Amino acid sequence: MTSNGLKELRARLERVKQAAQEAAMQALIKGANDIADLQRQLVPEDEGDLRDSITVTLPGQSTPPYSQPGGSHVVGENAVAVTAGNSDVRYPHHVEHGTVKMEAQPYFHVAYRMRRDKIMRAAAAAYRRAANKEWGK
């Protein structure tokens, strides 16, 4: 293979990779919003503060301070985070897991588990379709 042929192949492979990653990311964002919507439906009734604190954070952005799970952190590349809580709503884990004075009222992980497999399949399918389309299959 000539030097130009190798450069062209590498450039083509990079385009395939980029297209596939972009398609998978769009599927992940759609899935994260689907999880967040379901969590908002499942959250126990309150004044709406907990429901309104459920957010989707995109790659490179920082999750809200005091959000659960894990508090504030920057979301990595090729990832999307769904969190509950913020500096005004610091109790999502108490609702999810319960306390000695309150029964658990799961909503966060339940929604995640209900949608996880479907979202992963959709992201993988989007990745495959975009790679095949870019490659020319």
Side-chain angles (χ1 to χ4, degrees):
M1 182 174 275
T2 66
S3 174
N4 278 346
L6 185 57
K7 286 181 185 177
E8 290 172 13
L9 177 60
R10 285 184 177 162
R12 187 173 182 193
L13 289 172
E14 186 61 31
R15 287 192 307 271
V16 168
K17 177 181 153 188
Q18 282 298 112
Q21 285 178 339
E22 288 173 15
M25 180 53 63
Q26 291 306 312
L28 286 177
I29 291 169
K30 183 180 181 298
N33 283 310
D34 186 34
I35 289 172
D37 290 342
L38 182 57
Q39 288 170 338
R40 289 182 192 111
Q41 292 172 13
L42 296 176
V43 74
E45 284 295 318
D46 66 352
E47 294 82 37
D49 295 338
L50 179 56
R51 181 190 65 239
D52 295 342
S53 75
I54 297 171
T55 60
V56 174
T57 308
L58 303 179
Q61 296 179 347
S62 183
T63 59
Y66 305 102
S67 61
Q68 299 294 321
S72 182
H73 68 279
V74 176
V75 177
E77 186 179 335
N78 299 323
V80 180
V82 179
T83 58
N86 54 40
S87 55
D88 295 327
V89 180
R90 297 187 185 189
Y91 54 86
H93 57 291
H94 294 304
V95 175
E96 179 78 7
H97 303 290
T99 66
V100 294
K101 296 181 180 181
M102 178 179 99
E103 288 289 321
Q105 300 175 62
Y107 67 97
F108 192 85
H109 291 98
V110 171
Y112 169 73
R113 286 189 296 271
M114 287 174 69
R115 297 289 194 256
R116 171 185 54 202
D117 293 339
K118 178 182 174 186
I119 293 166
M120 296 308 289
R121 284 191 306 272
Y127 188 95
R128 266 190 316 278
R129 279 192 307 273
N132 287 337
K133 181 179 178 184
E134 188 65 35
W135 189 255
K137 278 189 169 181

